[in-house]
Amino acid sequence: MSPVKTTYRFSKNLDTSVLSWYDVHFPASTFHGRIHIGRMKDDGCGVRRLFTGERDAVRDFLANMHVSDKLDYYITANTVSGVERNLEGLFSLDNIVLDVDCHDADAPWQEQLLPLVWRFKRDAVVPLPNSIVRTGRGVQFWWHIRPVSVKCRPYFTEVRDFLIERLRDFLAEYSEFGAFQVDAAASHNLVGYYRLPGTVNTKAGTRVEFELLRDEEYLLQDMTAWMALEKAERAPKKKPPRGGEGEDFSGRYLASDVRLLRDYHTLGFFRMRQLVQLRILRGCDAGNETRNNLCFMAYNAMLPALGHERAFEKLRDFNAGFRAPMTERELEGVICSARAKGGYRYTNEKMIEFLEITPEEQKAIGLWAVSEPFDPMARLSSHPSRRAAARTARDDRDAKVLALANRGLRMAAIAAELQITRQTVSTILSAHGFDRRRLVVNAVSEGKSIEEAAERAGVSAYTAKKILREQNVKNSSYI
């Protein structure tokens, strides 16, 4: 198709390196929709169409295209069925593009843009985009998906909106990027124009540069599956019906307890969780006799499934939770008779009697005397102890993340403290509705200064002021 006739004011050809970017985002396909190339009109109002064609025709046009440093050039991310660029004519979905801009004229965006891109790639809060385009006062993230019909738009938009949500969480985490925001209007426009790499942003006076990060295309179904897993991870988890419904032990387990429970995937796990919780209830400072009895009971619970070596290794972790743990020699003396006999089997009734567990403690740890005959078909779920162990470790981790966040620690510090990724911290905080904005507003309402409110919420004073302006909260320290 021939280009639309227009008057060019050009100084040079488009850099041919841009073709490598184009080939990643618009490779050969069985979808024969049309891509638009345009430039800003002379009066600065709207975009004038320069060329409309299928993939190969657009590539040929770019290879010979002349550009001027005094004009702004654009390209569409998806294809349309005709020469009109509108949603009614949307033909295929080829790319998810998220646009992030700095609209604060006073913000030092030149100093923040490269660190923003670096942190985005380092933190990996979302699947790595195929390319990153620095547009001048902002940045675009491009994910190329294998082209799909417009009929798949509901799945496409759901994935795109989830990516926007994650990107907003990322920007909110770092106060130094407070001037940058996701341009929702541009990111939602499926037939919108995006700045063409290799040209110039005349308003910012900078060149539009790109960085290729991934050649392989994404499948929309894979992106949808990733999103579903992320949403499931962020959703509040239901507590199990038994085993601690009387009291929440999340956030109270020691690192040795989590290691013991997470790596123990047999039905003895439920007994061990009860014993760990009982030790926590008793303040980890039980007298010598009770401590010895708890360790004896723990060893017997683990021995049948793990054997002596592994059971004794985990018993060391359990013993380490007491304020005055036994020495290894003392521990061996406590369990010697059980080891010689191959372990003892204790019913709930015997365990309650042996450890003198009160009714209140029974309710707290979910330990009940058997009142019904054993039903071998009552437990139908597969790997129940494995699921319960993972749930216990996850709930404990989440509680600790929230506690640290409420103390004002930033996500990076929380991740380092708990030895998890920053993305996991962000997911947990979002799932539990943690809102740093609320912490800032509440602190100021209590009469705290901007600096004190910022420290409590784990953000900068600049971000705290911005939050207060958005929430229309008055404070004498910045009015």
Side-chain angles (χ1 to χ4, degrees):
M1 176 172 292
S2 301
V4 176
K5 290 186 178 180
T6 185
T7 302
Y8 284 104
R9 294 180 295 173
F10 62 85
S11 58
K12 59 182 178 180
N13 283 3
L14 183 69
D15 191 330
T16 55
S17 66
V18 176
L19 296 179
S20 62
W21 173 87
Y22 180 84
D23 290 339
V24 167
H25 290 283
F26 300 96
S29 171
T30 56
F31 284 88
H32 300 296
R34 295 175 177 179
I35 302 162
H36 282 239
I37 303 292
R39 71 166 177 84
M40 185 67 70
K41 292 181 178 179
D42 294 337
D43 59 5
C45 299
V47 176
R48 181 176 183 176
R49 178 163 50 92
L50 291 178
F51 187 81
T52 299
E54 295 183 8
R55 299 166 197 272
D56 290 344
V58 172
R59 191 184 193 283
D60 292 339
F61 177 79
L62 292 175
N64 299 287
M65 179 180 176
H66 292 102
V67 295
S68 168
D69 288 347
K70 298 181 179 180
L71 296 175
D72 296 274
Y73 297 88
Y74 304 89
I75 187 172
T76 54
N78 303 300
T79 70
V80 294
S81 57
V83 295
E84 296 300 323
R85 185 178 55 88
N86 51 43
L87 281 176
E88 291 73 19
L90 187 62
F91 185 71
S92 69
L93 301 167
D94 301 66
N95 296 282
I96 298 174
V97 185
L98 302 190
D99 189 30
V100 174
D101 286 322
C102 174
H103 296 294
D104 187 344
D106 299 327
W109 61 269
Q110 299 96 330
E111 303 172 7
Q112 298 172 352
L113 191 58
L114 288 178
L116 185 154
V117 171
W118 179 81
R119 284 194 180 276
F120 174 85
K121 293 189 293 184
R122 187 200 67 171
D123 290 355
V125 296
V126 294
L128 193 69
N130 292 85
S131 72
I132 293 178
V133 179
R134 295 194 295 275
T135 58
R137 295 180 67 89
V139 61
Q140 294 168 357
F141 302 96
W142 286 66
W143 288 265
H144 170 61
I145 61 173
R146 182 175 296 176
V148 296
S149 167
V150 69
K151 295 179 181 179
C152 298
R153 182 176 170 183
Y155 303 100
F156 179 94
T157 55
E158 189 178 7
V159 170
R160 179 205 59 202
D161 292 346
F162 187 68
L163 288 171
I164 290 176
E165 180 184 344
R166 296 305 300 273
L167 188 53
R168 282 174 171 162
D169 290 343
F170 164 75
L171 293 174
E173 161 62 10
Y174 294 101
S175 58
E176 61 266 35
F177 305 141
F180 289 92
Q181 293 182 345
V182 178
D183 188 335
S187 302
H188 283 95
N189 191 353
L190 297 181
V191 292
Y193 274 121
Y194 296 94
R195 289 193 178 273
L196 180 66
T199 61
V200 170
N201 181 331
T202 60
K203 292 182 179 179
T206 58
R207 187 160 297 279
V208 181
E209 300 176 333
F210 71 91
E211 179 182 2
L212 290 177
L213 302 180
R214 172 188 168 102
D215 293 332
E216 186 178 357
E217 64 187 1
Y218 284 100
L219 298 179
L220 184 57
Q221 54 266 42
D222 290 345
M223 294 287 278
T224 303
W226 163 79
M227 177 190 65
L229 288 173
E230 288 290 308
K231 286 186 175 181
E233 177 66 21
R234 298 173 70 170
K237 306 300 187 296
K238 294 182 178 180
K239 296 291 184 182
R242 281 300 189 109
E245 70 266 37
E247 186 164 343
D248 184 8
F249 289 87
S250 299
R252 299 166 64 184
Y253 294 106
L254 302 176
S256 55
D257 298 331
V258 174
R259 183 168 61 247
L260 186 162
L261 296 174
R262 183 174 52 204
D263 297 336
Y264 187 31
H265 299 143
T266 73
L267 292 180
F269 159 81
F270 296 100
R271 178 70 83 212
M272 280 307 305
R273 184 173 63 182
Q274 291 168 341
L275 290 168
V276 169
Q277 292 173 349
L278 183 60
R279 191 206 68 216
I280 293 173
L281 280 177
R282 294 180 174 181
C284 305
D285 58 355
N288 290 346
E289 182 179 356
T290 304
R291 178 199 61 192
N292 294 4
N293 288 343
L294 281 167
C295 287
F296 180 77
M297 190 67 70
Y299 179 77
N300 281 284
M302 295 184 288
L303 184 61
L306 302 180
H308 170 71
E309 295 297 331
R310 287 195 62 204
F312 192 73
E313 177 184 349
K314 289 186 176 295
L315 185 61
R316 291 194 190 98
D317 282 335
F318 180 73
N319 176 55
F322 291 99
R323 294 186 188 278
M326 285 183 276
T327 65
E328 187 161 324
R329 184 171 182 177
E330 290 173 329
L331 203 58
E332 289 174 344
V334 165
I335 58 105
C336 63
S337 63
R339 180 183 181 185
K341 293 285 186 178
Y344 298 98
R345 309 296 187 268
Y346 288 96
T347 63
N348 286 1
E349 292 87 343
K350 283 292 184 182
M351 179 173 167
I352 292 169
E353 178 185 350
F354 185 66
L355 298 176
E356 299 180 341
I357 304 174
T358 66
E360 291 75 17
E361 289 174 333
Q362 293 177 50
K363 181 179 179 181
I365 69 176
L367 177 64
W368 313 98
V370 177
S371 58
E372 298 177 358
F374 173 66
D375 180 1
M377 300 303 293
R379 190 182 299 279
L380 299 177
S381 62
S382 60
H383 304 296
S385 58
R386 186 185 301 271
R387 296 177 190 274
R391 183 171 56 247
T392 298
R394 183 173 59 243
D395 290 346
D396 184 68
R397 175 204 63 190
D398 293 0
K400 289 174 179 174
V401 166
L402 290 169
L404 292 173
N406 281 312
R407 283 169 45 192
L409 271 69
R410 299 189 183 186
M411 282 198 245
I414 296 173
E417 174 73 19
L418 300 180
Q419 298 184 344
I420 56 179
T421 66
R422 205 196 64 80
Q423 180 180 350
T424 300
V425 176
S426 176
T427 297
I428 293 168
L429 294 179
S430 298
H432 289 80
F434 182 82
D435 188 359
R436 294 185 187 275
R437 293 178 177 83
R438 175 175 51 79
L439 291 180
V440 171
V441 172
N442 289 347
V444 169
S445 300
E446 295 169 6
K448 302 294 184 182
S449 67
I450 292 292
E451 290 72 19
E452 290 171 330
E455 183 178 357
R456 177 185 293 187
V459 298
S460 68
Y462 173 87
T463 300
K465 291 179 181 179
K466 182 179 177 183
I467 291 171
L468 294 174
R469 286 196 298 268
E470 291 173 350
Q471 301 294 324
N472 196 27
V473 176
K474 305 295 184 182
N475 182 276
S476 59
S477 64
Y478 78 93
I479 293 177

